[in-house]
Amino acid sequence: MSLDPVLDRIDADLPQAVERLKELLRIPSISTDPAYKADCDMAADWLVADLVAMGFAASKRPTPGHPMVVAHAAGDGPHVLFYGHYDVQPVDPLHLWNRDPFDPQVEDTPKGKVIRGRGTSDDKGQLMTFVEACRAWIAVHGSLPAKMTLFFEGEEESGSPSLVPFMQDNAKELTADIALICDTGLYGDSTPAIITQLRGLLGEEITITGPDKDLHSGMYGGLAMNPARVLARVIAALHDEDGRITVPGFYDGVPDLSNELAAAWDDLRFDEAAFLGDVGLSIPAGEKGRRPLEMIWSRPTCEVNGMWSGYTGDGFKTVLPSQAHAKISFRLVGTQDPLAIRAAFRKMVQDMIPADCSVTFAAHGASAAGQMTTTHPAFAQARRALSDEWPQAAAYVGSGGSIPIAAYFKQILDMDAMLIGFGKNDDQIHSPNEKYDLSSFHKGIRSWARILHAMTQTA
Amino acid sequence: MSLDPVLDRIDADLPQAVERLKELLRIPSISTDPAYKADCDMAADWLVADLVAMGFAASKRPTPGHPMVVAHAAGDGPHVLFYGHYDVQPVDPLHLWNRDPFDPQVEDTPKGKVIRGRGTSDDKGQLMTFVEACRAWIAVHGSLPAKMTLFFEGEEESGSPSLVPFMQDNAKELTADIALICDTGLYGDSTPAIITQLRGLLGEEITITGPDKDLHSGMYGGLAMNPARVLARVIAALHDEDGRITVPGFYDGVPDLSNELAAAWDDLRFDEAAFLGDVGLSIPAGEKGRRPLEMIWSRPTCEVNGMWSGYTGDGFKTVLPSQAHAKISFRLVGTQDPLAIRAAFRKMVQDMIPADCSVTFAAHGASAAGQMTTTHPAFAQARRALSDEWPQAAAYVGSGGSIPIAAYFKQILDMDAMLIGFGKNDDQIHSPNEKYDLSSFHKGIRSWARILHAMTQTA
């Protein structure tokens, strides 16, 4: 089956593809907030309907949380599984958005046209690049060039609690020759990238309790322990003066950067000044003596993702709070053991709590770092196909993010996984005013069409 | 004019007095939150109407913020000014209230009947003790035993921004022989107390900005500075290992406790275990080597009243926040200079901000500590009158709270002020489930009737 008419079809159909994406984006499928449960369900229904209309055998599959969508289509080539997620991040702080995050529109910007709205880049826009590539193949050739399984999750932004059990329960159905995952970005603005290493993620929520109720700071201040002070001491103690994380044993399993990888990454000529300048910063803040790309891709981190205590509204309230809270996450690399680090973190915090206070912990996910093997022929095929579509040759890169699905495909289904995506650093995913470049969407669809063709030709 | 029929009238009228108080309590006059501006106005109107009905020449007086209420009544005795405030604290966290904070009710508790609701103790219930004492005098004798000015503020819980200008602009009208202030508590459960020293209050809000937008902690974590970490380091640095505050020059003007005051306070046999035990604590957390009462009444403090950064909702969001915020207050004693401490605090914080971050400050009030002179004969008269009403003799005590109005009466109007109130430590003012004991309300009204009588008899 020839490629060119498929690419032509993609170009001609782009306006309709954008309208379809906007329909999906309008559904506020925020998975972490129980208030949006019905919307997550609706997003899954939308995908099932779209895939059935294209000829897939698609269904919504229940889990204890939000449903999975699984779709199959017959084909002669290799069996390819594609993964994406239809859930999105919360939108707060809402007042920083320049438009309704769930009323997406194409906007002209100095850097070109973008689609603005929550989930445009992470991950609905990326997910739809693959769906639209399939649509074009079917429209032109009446069928797909490969046997296909699509697998869409609705809990990626909330720790994927149902993912592993679902994969275990449906291992036979989900196993293919190779997995394709579209939830990552380009390197820079125009270099297509295949991710070969990912950081793991450990999430912890801590609640420190001092007095059993909020107190008047005039009546009790000076005598009663303030849990916000205790929390501040805990957070301040998590890094030393050199930016290293102080949790005992934290660096067990963190590999030094190999000379080979250091050289490959130096070749990428990472523009640290532009990367930080885009977000109003200029000074790398991580561990002293590390390369910037190394800090993001191959060093572990500890970040406060949220903290709160006492009165946070307008004006002033002289309360001595009963509780202080923090959401803290660790990005992990190499063979760092998430569960061992969780235990060491909890012990370290517990040891810092004064006798009169108490602390409780809640777990929010724990996944190890991932390292891809690139020996499967699909890696070289995809690299060539991407290089044909984009102005720069495709590169093997690392990622600071955490996409444990790649590791699960290997561990549970014994499949290699290729992480290829078309997001950009300035997409503001997880932030207000998220966007996806129209060129990312368009060339992303074309990229998948080329990759499917390349894998089929040589299969 | 005789006292006994007035006390009898107070006893007989108590149910009606409670109903009147409940009317006032139902108005959510939260002064710090602009959303409740109309309610503050309504509370002032309610007071004016009530006082006019009793025969006062009462009016609502505009300010740039919430209005003042000023009322006058002629009388033959000394000229007495009474101060209270009709505004209340915010009610969050609302889910910790056992009932609607603005639907007050009398409840039976193991310790006796209480009126439950926001403002019952701070300060509407206390304010109304004096109004009801006046009502009883007028009902029995047709007039008051003293020339009277009532002065009610609506901004006490939000830093009293209009108070000093209003007192300056209306000095002649407000000046009396002595000021009575009802916004404090009993000592313990049954010892009436006249406050002779008050802590000052300095409020600061700080906002630390790192990146100019919220970031994805996977994409930027390790390279971009997290302002929550910076804020934690600042807060952790405000106290040393011995609980002393580290702001340079902070202890300038902090007097040592005199032997005389130490002895008087030791006589009060402060039950530290019960005081802390009431709020689920057992270990004094302030400066090492200080008496518990000293920590509350005559040592300065620094407390975090609120802090927030990043994602604080349900679930988890791997955001690297753009900003971190804290509301911090200092209680001041002796001759500590609030403005000098504000400057030193801001410099200390500024010096801790990394080159890539910035900090802004907002001022929330600055008042020095107050020390009463007790030579005015009204002090001895009130002490005797209170001793007649309550099972224990009245005591001169300190207060950890900050009621700058007493100092303003002295500085601006050259009046001595007596701080007498009937709250209890377990009233949960500024907290969920605030209450005022029915006995505090009832005996409070009787106390003011006795005090007015005592001041008149000997004037």
Side-chain angles (χ1 to χ4, degrees):
Chain A
M1 292 193 276
S2 57
L3 174 65
D4 286 345
V6 176
L7 296 177
D8 291 344
R9 166 79 192 183
I10 289 168
D11 296 347
D13 196 39
L14 184 64
Q16 288 73 40
V18 169
E19 289 310 308
R20 285 186 288 268
L21 173 57
K22 282 161 68 177
E23 277 185 30
L24 178 58
L25 290 167
R26 282 188 203 106
I27 306 169
S29 47
I30 301 170
S31 60
T32 200
D33 187 338
Y36 295 89
K37 184 165 177 50
D39 299 291
C40 292
D41 222 56
M42 195 182 303
D45 286 335
W46 188 94
L47 286 165
V48 168
D50 190 48
L51 294 169
V52 166
M54 285 165 59
F56 279 87
S59 60
K60 187 173 71 172
R61 307 281 286 270
T63 76
H66 303 301
M68 307 286 178
V69 171
V70 180
H72 301 287
D76 290 332
H79 185 182
V80 171
L81 178 139
F82 176 84
Y83 165 91
H85 65 89
Y86 66 78
D87 62 321
V88 299
Q89 280 275 318
V91 295
D92 58 277
L94 190 56
H95 70 279
L96 294 183
W97 284 80
N98 295 329
R99 61 175 304 111
D100 179 344
F102 296 111
D103 177 23
Q105 288 300 340
V106 175
E107 294 178 9
D108 278 309
T109 79
K111 292 180 175 178
K113 286 185 192 296
V114 305
I115 312 166
R116 180 91 60 195
R118 176 55 90 223
T120 48
S121 178
D122 183 17
D123 184 48
K124 288 172 176 172
Q126 304 237 68
L127 177 159
M128 289 301 289
T129 57
F130 195 85
V131 172
E132 295 297 341
C134 291
R135 194 188 318 273
W137 271 105
I138 293 170
V140 170
H141 295 294
S143 70
L144 290 162
K147 183 179 177 189
M148 194 80 71
T149 297
L150 305 186
F151 178 31
F152 300 143
E153 184 190 3
E155 299 180 326
E156 200 275 343
E157 302 293 3
S158 54
S160 298
S162 308
L163 183 65
V164 168
F166 188 86
M167 288 175 84
Q168 288 168 334
D169 290 350
N170 300 277
K172 190 154 188 299
E173 180 183 358
L174 293 172
T175 301
D177 297 316
I178 184 98
L180 307 177
I181 300 172
C182 191
D183 195 18
T184 54
L186 301 169
Y187 177 79
D189 272 353
S190 56
T191 302
I194 303 173
I195 309 278
T196 61
Q197 61 180 63
L198 285 159
R199 292 197 287 197
L201 181 62
L202 172 67
E204 284 282 286
E205 183 165 333
I206 69 177
T207 298
I208 298 173
T209 303
D212 62 14
K213 55 182 79 69
D214 283 357
L215 304 177
H216 186 299
S217 73
M219 191 178 293
Y220 284 90
L223 195 53
M225 179 50 78
N226 186 326
R229 268 175 64 191
V230 178
L231 179 62
R233 285 210 307 262
V234 167
I235 292 172
L238 287 170
H239 293 82
D240 70 14
E241 292 294 309
D242 294 327
R244 280 176 68 88
I245 293 143
T246 57
V247 174
F250 183 75
Y251 287 93
D252 292 353
V254 176
D256 275 330
L257 188 62
S258 69
N259 291 338
E260 183 192 353
L261 218 45
W265 290 354
D266 284 347
D267 284 347
L268 290 171
R269 287 194 285 271
F270 178 65
D271 187 346
E272 163 197 336
F275 186 80
L276 286 174
D278 276 349
V279 298
L281 297 174
S282 62
I283 304 169
E287 292 172 87
K288 288 199 177 136
R290 299 283 172 185
R291 287 173 172 77
L293 267 192
E294 189 184 0
M295 286 187 198
I296 304 175
W297 288 351
S298 70
R299 297 299 300 176
T301 66
C302 167
E303 295 292 347
V304 178
N305 303 115
M307 67 177 182
W308 67 104
S309 179
Y311 181 67
T312 60
D314 282 346
F316 211 86
K317 185 175 169 181
T318 51
V319 65
L320 196 162
S322 166
Q323 293 193 318
H325 312 261
K327 296 179 196 276
I328 294 172
S329 65
F330 299 87
R331 299 277 172 179
L332 307 179
V333 303
T335 58
Q336 280 182 297
D337 178 350
L339 298 184
I341 290 171
R342 169 170 284 154
F345 167 76
R346 291 183 175 188
K347 179 172 189 314
M348 174 180 168
V349 173
Q350 184 70 62
D351 288 349
M352 291 187 69
I353 303 300
D356 233 12
C357 294
S358 62
V359 61
T360 58
F361 300 91
H364 286 279
S367 64
Q371 179 69 48
M372 309 297 124
T373 50
T374 55
T375 48
H376 192 287
F379 279 83
Q381 293 154 6
R383 199 171 183 177
R384 279 197 301 277
L386 286 165
S387 301
D388 287 342
E389 173 65 25
W390 294 82
Q392 314 289 333
Y396 289 156
V397 302
S399 166
S402 305
I403 312 175
I405 182 87
Y408 298 148
F409 282 132
K410 190 72 190 174
Q411 292 158 17
I412 301 170
L413 307 179
D414 195 26
M415 291 161 68
D416 288 311
M418 281 203 298
L419 291 143
I420 296 168
F422 312 100
K424 292 190 176 178
N425 284 340
D426 65 355
D427 280 356
Q428 296 175 212
I429 63 170
H430 293 211
S431 297
N433 299 315
E434 178 178 351
K435 62 89 178 164
Y436 196 44
D437 283 16
L438 192 60
S439 64
S440 291
F441 186 57
H442 184 192
K443 290 175 86 65
I445 300 170
R446 290 171 55 98
S447 295
W448 288 122
R450 287 182 187 275
I451 290 169
L452 288 178
H453 183 255
M455 290 172 62
T456 314
Q457 293 301 99
T458 52
Chain B
M1 293 192 277
S2 58
L3 175 65
D4 285 347
V6 177
L7 297 176
D8 291 345
R9 168 79 193 185
I10 289 168
D11 297 348
D13 196 39
L14 184 64
Q16 289 74 37
V18 169
E19 289 309 309
R20 285 185 288 267
L21 172 58
K22 282 161 66 177
E23 278 186 27
L24 178 58
L25 290 166
R26 280 186 204 108
I27 306 169
S29 47
I30 301 170
S31 59
T32 201
D33 187 338
Y36 294 89
K37 183 163 176 52
D39 299 291
C40 291
D41 222 57
M42 195 183 302
D45 287 334
W46 188 93
L47 286 165
V48 168
D50 191 47
L51 293 169
V52 165
M54 285 166 59
F56 279 86
S59 61
K60 185 171 75 171
R61 308 280 287 269
T63 76
H66 304 302
M68 305 285 177
V69 171
V70 181
H72 299 286
D76 290 331
H79 185 181
V80 171
L81 178 142
F82 176 83
Y83 165 90
H85 64 89
Y86 67 78
D87 63 318
V88 300
Q89 280 275 318
V91 295
D92 58 279
L94 189 57
H95 70 278
L96 294 182
W97 284 81
N98 295 330
R99 60 176 304 111
D100 179 344
F102 296 110
D103 178 23
Q105 288 298 340
V106 175
E107 294 177 7
D108 279 310
T109 79
K111 292 179 174 178
K113 283 185 193 298
V114 305
I115 312 166
R116 179 92 60 196
R118 175 54 91 222
T120 48
S121 177
D122 183 18
D123 181 53
K124 288 172 175 172
Q126 302 239 69
L127 178 159
M128 289 301 289
T129 57
F130 195 85
V131 172
E132 295 297 343
C134 292
R135 196 187 317 273
W137 271 105
I138 293 170
V140 170
H141 295 295
S143 68
L144 291 162
K147 183 178 175 188
M148 195 79 71
T149 297
L150 305 186
F151 179 32
F152 300 143
E153 184 190 2
E155 301 181 322
E156 202 273 342
E157 302 293 4
S158 54
S160 298
S162 309
L163 183 64
V164 168
F166 188 86
M167 289 175 84
Q168 288 168 334
D169 291 348
N170 300 277
K172 189 154 189 296
E173 179 183 357
L174 293 172
T175 301
D177 296 318
I178 183 100
L180 306 177
I181 300 171
C182 191
D183 195 18
T184 55
L186 302 167
Y187 178 79
D189 273 351
S190 56
T191 302
I194 302 174
I195 309 279
T196 61
Q197 59 180 63
L198 284 159
R199 293 197 286 195
L201 182 61
L202 171 67
E204 285 282 286
E205 184 165 333
I206 70 178
T207 298
I208 297 173
T209 303
D212 63 12
K213 53 182 81 71
D214 284 357
L215 304 177
H216 185 299
S217 73
M219 191 179 295
Y220 285 91
L223 196 52
M225 178 50 78
N226 187 326
R229 267 175 65 191
V230 179
L231 179 63
R233 285 211 306 262
V234 167
I235 293 172
L238 288 169
H239 292 82
D240 70 13
E241 291 293 308
D242 294 327
R244 280 177 67 89
I245 293 142
T246 57
V247 175
F250 184 75
Y251 287 93
D252 293 351
V254 176
D256 275 333
L257 189 62
S258 70
N259 290 337
E260 183 192 352
L261 218 46
W265 290 354
D266 284 348
D267 283 348
L268 291 171
R269 287 194 286 270
F270 177 66
D271 187 346
E272 164 197 333
F275 185 81
L276 287 174
D278 276 348
V279 297
L281 297 173
S282 61
I283 304 169
E287 292 171 88
K288 286 196 179 139
R290 301 284 171 183
R291 289 173 170 79
L293 267 193
E294 189 184 359
M295 285 187 198
I296 304 175
W297 287 351
S298 70
R299 297 301 298 177
T301 66
C302 168
E303 296 291 350
V304 178
N305 304 116
M307 66 177 182
W308 67 105
S309 180
Y311 183 66
T312 60
D314 281 346
F316 211 84
K317 185 176 169 181
T318 51
V319 66
L320 195 162
S322 167
Q323 293 194 316
H325 311 260
K327 296 177 196 274
I328 294 172
S329 65
F330 299 87
R331 299 279 172 178
L332 307 179
V333 304
T335 58
Q336 280 183 297
D337 178 350
L339 299 184
I341 291 171
R342 169 170 285 153
F345 168 74
R346 290 182 176 189
K347 179 172 189 315
M348 174 180 169
V349 173
Q350 184 70 62
D351 288 349
M352 292 186 70
I353 303 299
D356 233 13
C357 294
S358 62
V359 61
T360 58
F361 299 92
H364 286 280
S367 64
Q371 179 68 49
M372 310 296 126
T373 50
T374 56
T375 48
H376 191 289
F379 278 84
Q381 293 154 6
R383 198 170 182 176
R384 280 197 301 276
L386 287 164
S387 299
D388 287 344
E389 174 64 26
W390 294 84
Q392 314 288 332
Y396 289 155
V397 302
S399 166
S402 304
I403 312 176
I405 182 85
Y408 297 148
F409 281 133
K410 190 70 189 175
Q411 292 157 19
I412 300 170
L413 307 178
D414 195 27
M415 292 162 66
D416 288 312
M418 282 202 300
L419 290 144
I420 297 168
F422 312 102
K424 292 190 176 178
N425 284 342
D426 66 355
D427 279 355
Q428 296 175 212
I429 64 171
H430 294 208
S431 296
N433 298 317
E434 179 178 350
K435 60 88 177 164
Y436 196 44
D437 282 16
L438 192 61
S439 65
S440 291
F441 186 57
H442 184 192
K443 292 176 84 64
I445 301 170
R446 290 172 54 99
S447 294
W448 288 122
R450 286 182 187 275
I451 289 169
L452 288 177
H453 184 254
M455 288 171 63
T456 314
Q457 291 302 98
T458 50

